[in-house]
Amino acid sequence: MELLFKEKDALLHQYYELTNKLIMEINPESMENVQIALEERQKYIEKINFLDQKAEQILMNPEMKELLLRIEALEKILQERLKEAQQKVLSQIHSLKKEKRLKHYGDMGFVSSGIFYDKRK
């Protein structure tokens, strides 16, 4: 049982470090890396859940509780950063669509900015 506690503690630490690293690396230009890191974090969660199922109880000690509280704080920051990055990406997509619509009309040529004189009168 002690071995399961140590293994879970190690996985939680790795999850914490990966989450911390992910927060620092989030930017709209490299969302592929974010997706890979999120998938890796999911694998850690699955391994942790497997250990709890194997032990037929939730493995917990005071150190793990403290680490989980720190992870919870990081999760909130991560959610905020992901929302910010999502907004930036959506904004970029919107501006590209707008630019594409404007190009659709083509070059309108020279447009006079002033008065129109009717020479026939």
Side-chain angles (χ1 to χ4, degrees):
M1 188 68 106
E2 185 64 32
L3 182 62
L4 293 176
F5 272 101
K6 287 181 181 180
E7 190 174 348
K8 182 175 180 178
D9 188 54
L11 287 170
L12 284 172
H13 276 87
Q14 291 170 343
Y15 182 87
Y16 176 83
E17 292 300 323
L18 183 59
T19 303
N20 202 22
K21 180 182 174 188
L22 181 60
I23 288 171
M24 299 302 164
E25 292 181 355
I26 291 178
N27 66 49
E29 290 78 31
S30 66
M31 292 308 284
E32 298 86 25
N33 296 339
V34 171
Q35 182 64 32
I36 292 168
L38 289 173
E39 290 171 2
E40 189 174 341
R41 281 172 17 114
Q42 184 60 38
K43 289 178 185 175
Y44 282 114
I45 291 171
E46 291 169 4
K47 288 177 185 178
I48 290 167
N49 288 336
F50 176 76
L51 289 177
D52 286 341
Q53 289 173 357
K54 187 175 179 181
E56 296 179 351
Q57 66 179 1
I58 296 177
L59 302 169
M60 190 63 59
N61 62 27
E63 293 83 21
M64 285 183 200
K65 282 184 181 181
E66 180 183 327
L67 184 57
L68 286 172
L69 289 173
R70 293 190 332 207
I71 289 172
E72 183 180 17
L74 280 182
E75 291 288 336
K76 289 178 183 177
I77 295 169
L78 178 62
Q79 288 297 322
E80 290 173 17
R81 298 296 272 304
L82 286 173
K83 283 181 184 178
E84 290 171 6
Q86 180 185 24
Q87 289 300 321
K88 287 179 183 176
V89 169
L90 289 174
S91 175
Q92 290 173 350
I93 290 171
H94 179 68
S95 67
L96 287 173
K97 283 182 179 180
K98 186 177 180 180
E99 183 179 314
K100 185 177 179 181
R101 275 183 278 164
L102 291 175
K103 284 184 179 179
H104 180 307
Y105 289 106
D107 188 16
M108 299 298 281
F110 177 77
V111 178
S112 65
S113 62
I115 304 170
F116 173 74
Y117 292 106
D118 189 1
K119 297 180 181 179
R120 292 182 288 171
K121 289 187 180 181

